[in-house]
Amino acid sequence: MITVTAKTSQQYSGDMCVYFVRQLDNKKTMPVSQDKEVQEIIKRAYDVGDFFARAGETVLHYPGPGTGAKPAKSARRILVVGLGKDDLDREVFRLAGGTASATALKKKAYEFMAVLPDELDFPAVEMAQGLAEGLILGAYQFVKYKTKFEPDEKPGEIKNIMLSTRHLSAVRKGVKTGSTEAFAGCRARDMANEPGNYWTPAQFAERGRELAAEYGFKCKVYGLAELKKMGMGGIIGVNQGSGKPPTMVVLEYRTGKKVPTLLLVGKGLTFDSGGISLKPGAGMQDMKYDMCGGAAVIAAMQAIGEISPARLDVVAIVPATENLPGHDALKPGDIITQYNGKTVEVVNTDAEGRLILADALSWGVKKYKPDAVVDLATLTGAVIVGLGHHRTGLMSNNDALAEKIMAAGEKSAEPLWRLPLGKEYAKQLESKVADLKNVGTQGAGTITAGAFLEEFVGETPWAHLDIAGTAWDFTEKSYVPKGPSGVGVRTIIELIRAWK
Ligand code: BES
Ligand code: ZN
Ligand code: ZN
């Protein structure tokens, strides 16, 4: 969708041409553009007090005779986007790219050129990566189930974005990196946006097989009979109330060399009604998003297929089922046996994510002996109480791994906040009748959920990302829409890129 060109805006006559300019200072000083034509537009907007190039500020101009822009070869619209005055980083360009795409969609400018501010003192690769991420993520929309539109309201798609620059090779490199991450993020959003009656455990299996065919991964899908035979008491138990069989999808990316293995596990709960411990009706429809951890892991594998990391093998596991109150559903008080033999008293059937993850984690750790495990799950409402919708909750038994993930989250503007673990929290999970109960005593709900998972990873360095607050309703930005955010995808990719 993005092409890089040495052509200048004077040689472009498409739907829109986008320029980016810096705010000069806190005072209301007129922003400066290298481009004379743009400078004239800025001056007009500035003179009426509309534009200081603050981050996210825009001017939309329609060039033509007498309006100051060259009419002959000019694009039909000129958009100037402010970059603000804060230190430049990838996020500044992500936001600016998002603003450009959002404006383009609104104006139905489906083909546009963005002129890179080559003159800024900032690495062209990073600038291009940030812009590509923002442009692609900001162009995301999900309208496949809408059949009726007001006349003239039918949304189109952004078809082609040209990036004009003098630094062709650096920008091409950045665009490739940014596009790969952003497309993966969009695919995670797609899976999440699908309704629960369409995106079922079988869909995870199908997507896994598609990716395997495309990128040469090894793919194995475990169905109901196999999961039973393997002793996956958590997945089977949670699935009992559902009319659809569970799946567990395993994808393996192998370098063929002797390198460390990273294991990714994602919660693929395709609908969480709570089961017999039924959730309240209001807002229950959002529980179709309870598979966002699984979606993030699968989408990240798509990017891994594109990137082919050289120093790391990656295995992805997505345990997938619905949690419904069918006639054979788990009941509060039931005791199940997880894959590793630990018994769990299910005191609340709505704490189901940890039950399916416990099986996948202990099975994955035993089978693959990974050097590190990262799980992503919309695990607790409590993480929203603690961190709101702005940060993912991070828990880990390993400081080095936790720091790597924090750094990857920072780079991708998917910030995390680490919460503690420890024996006090583990103690909250003691059961009178089994090895553990699935819900801890009152308090620290996010941490006790993490402490539950910790029982299933042994000594393996492990990190748990509770994305219940960020997988949807994430801090709204130009490139983060109201629905599912695709959070976690870019963090995983950054983590893998930075792996030493
Ligand atoms: N999928 C939910 C967690 C959730 C809640 C995600 C709200 C996003 C928004 C999870 O399975 C769940 O229901 N957890 C319970 C645990 C409780 C019973 C200990 C919760 O958070 O209420
Ligand atoms: Zn639940
Ligand atoms: Zn759930």
Side-chain angles (χ1 to χ4, degrees):
M1 181 171 92
I2 298 183
T3 49
V4 179
T5 178
K7 274 193 189 158
T8 64
S9 54
Q10 278 80 32
Q11 297 165 282
Y12 183 75
S13 54
D15 290 338
M16 186 165 89
C17 193
V18 187
Y19 298 86
F20 303 96
V21 291
R22 285 283 267 166
Q23 180 184 355
L24 290 181
D25 49 36
N26 266 331
K27 289 171 241 132
K28 295 188 166 174
T29 306
M30 184 164 70
V32 181
S33 168
Q34 300 295 101
D35 193 297
K36 276 210 190 93
E37 190 179 323
V38 176
Q39 190 59 43
E40 201 170 317
I41 295 166
I42 289 176
K43 185 174 183 318
R44 288 165 189 228
Y46 173 83
D47 283 344
V48 288
D50 280 3
F51 187 71
F52 306 98
R54 288 184 281 237
E57 249 179 16
T58 56
V59 185
L60 188 61
H61 174 83
Y62 299 88
T67 66
K70 285 187 218 116
K73 281 179 198 157
S74 195
R76 291 159 62 203
R77 304 174 185 83
I78 290 177
L79 177 71
V80 188
V81 177
L83 294 174
K85 60 171 174 41
D86 293 346
D87 287 349
L88 291 173
D89 60 11
R90 209 187 294 164
E91 176 70 353
V92 169
F93 291 99
R94 256 187 226 116
L95 290 167
T99 301
S101 276
T103 311
L105 274 183
K106 217 183 295 162
K107 300 295 167 194
K108 302 189 193 307
Y110 298 134
E111 257 185 26
F112 64 90
M113 172 183 268
V115 181
L116 262 73
D118 284 338
E119 72 281 3
L120 294 180
D121 182 21
F122 188 72
V125 190
E126 281 277 298
M127 186 189 290
Q129 182 177 345
L131 273 177
E133 286 178 41
L135 286 165
I136 292 166
L137 289 166
Y140 181 80
Q141 42 184 352
F142 187 84
V143 291
K144 83 182 244 206
Y145 292 104
K146 277 188 168 287
T147 62
K148 276 205 206 137
F149 297 98
E150 293 296 310
D152 212 37
E153 283 296 302
K154 192 169 166 54
E157 262 176 53
I158 294 180
K159 296 224 163 54
N160 185 24
I161 304 173
M162 287 167 82
L163 291 190
S164 162
T165 179
R166 277 181 276 117
H167 309 299
L168 285 177
S169 73
V171 169
R172 282 209 179 95
K173 192 162 167 245
V175 164
K176 173 90 183 89
T177 314
S179 309
T180 304
E181 293 197 13
F183 283 134
C186 291
R187 294 298 71 80
R189 290 176 185 176
D190 279 344
M191 290 180 238
N193 268 314
E194 290 290 351
N197 59 339
Y198 181 80
W199 196 267
T200 61
Q203 293 294 312
F204 269 118
E206 196 180 314
R207 181 58 52 88
R209 290 193 182 106
E210 281 167 11
L211 286 182
E214 190 165 352
Y215 297 109
F217 302 142
K218 193 172 151 198
C219 174
K220 169 89 183 131
V221 176
Y222 296 88
L224 179 64
E226 282 160 300
L227 293 167
K228 265 191 188 156
K229 228 188 276 164
M230 291 155 84
M232 301 295 221
I235 302 175
I236 298 299
V238 173
N239 180 252
Q240 277 169 204
S242 161
K244 296 181 182 72
T247 60
M248 187 173 82
V249 187
V250 183
L251 284 173
E252 292 179 30
Y253 163 77
R254 297 286 183 193
T255 55
K257 285 174 271 171
K258 227 180 141 349
V259 293
T261 300
L262 172 66
L263 174 64
L264 302 171
V265 179
K267 172 177 172 182
L269 227 296
T270 59
F271 188 78
D272 182 11
S273 72
I276 297 297
S277 313
L278 196 64
K279 286 182 182 295
M284 204 204 271
Q285 64 276 12
D286 281 355
M287 282 300 123
K288 72 171 184 174
Y289 299 141
D290 209 18
M291 36 58 75
C292 283
V297 164
I298 294 286
M301 287 306 281
Q302 173 183 327
I304 288 161
E306 292 285 331
I307 297 164
S308 307
R311 294 188 301 259
L312 200 63
D313 284 350
V314 185
V315 178
I317 307 180
V318 178
T321 175
E322 300 176 322
N323 183 22
L324 291 177
H327 67 275
D328 205 20
L330 276 181
K331 306 170 292 298
D334 284 0
I335 298 177
I336 60 167
T337 305
Q338 304 271 184
Y339 171 77
N340 69 348
K342 289 196 181 177
T343 55
V344 176
E345 179 192 4
V346 180
V347 295
N348 188 323
T349 65
D350 197 9
E352 83 300 335
R354 62 197 77 182
L355 302 178
I356 70 168
L357 289 170
D359 283 346
L361 285 167
S362 52
W363 180 81
V365 164
K366 183 164 178 220
K367 179 162 170 78
Y368 293 101
K369 301 183 177 46
D371 297 84
V373 192
V374 179
D375 77 73
L376 292 94
T378 47
L379 209 59
T380 66
V383 78
I384 307 173
V385 178
L387 301 176
H389 295 283
H390 308 300
R391 279 176 192 262
T392 292
L394 169 67
M395 283 138 274
S396 179
N397 61 2
N398 184 286
D399 292 346
L401 178 62
E403 273 159 35
K404 274 187 202 162
I405 294 174
M406 289 288 287
E410 211 56 52
K411 266 197 171 165
S412 24
E414 296 181 342
L416 304 107
W417 196 258
R418 189 173 176 188
L419 301 168
L421 290 166
K423 54 180 186 305
E424 307 83 354
Y425 300 105
K427 197 170 158 44
Q428 286 184 250
L429 294 164
E430 280 176 0
S431 163
K432 287 204 169 66
V433 292
D435 298 338
L436 286 165
K437 52 187 183 185
N438 75 331
V439 176
T441 51
Q442 185 68 38
T446 300
I447 301 174
T448 53
F452 183 92
L453 299 180
E454 194 181 11
E455 299 283 336
F456 296 87
V457 294
E459 299 299 303
T460 309
W462 152 82
H464 159 58
L465 277 58
D466 192 335
I467 56 171
T470 49
W472 68 98
D473 290 350
F474 193 23
T475 323
E476 217 180 318
K477 293 179 190 178
S478 63
Y479 67 91
V480 182
K482 277 208 162 68
S485 61
V487 78
V489 175
R490 288 180 299 112
T491 301
I492 297 172
I493 302 167
E494 284 296 326
L495 176 71
I496 290 169
R497 283 189 199 284
W499 203 272
K500 294 254 164 46

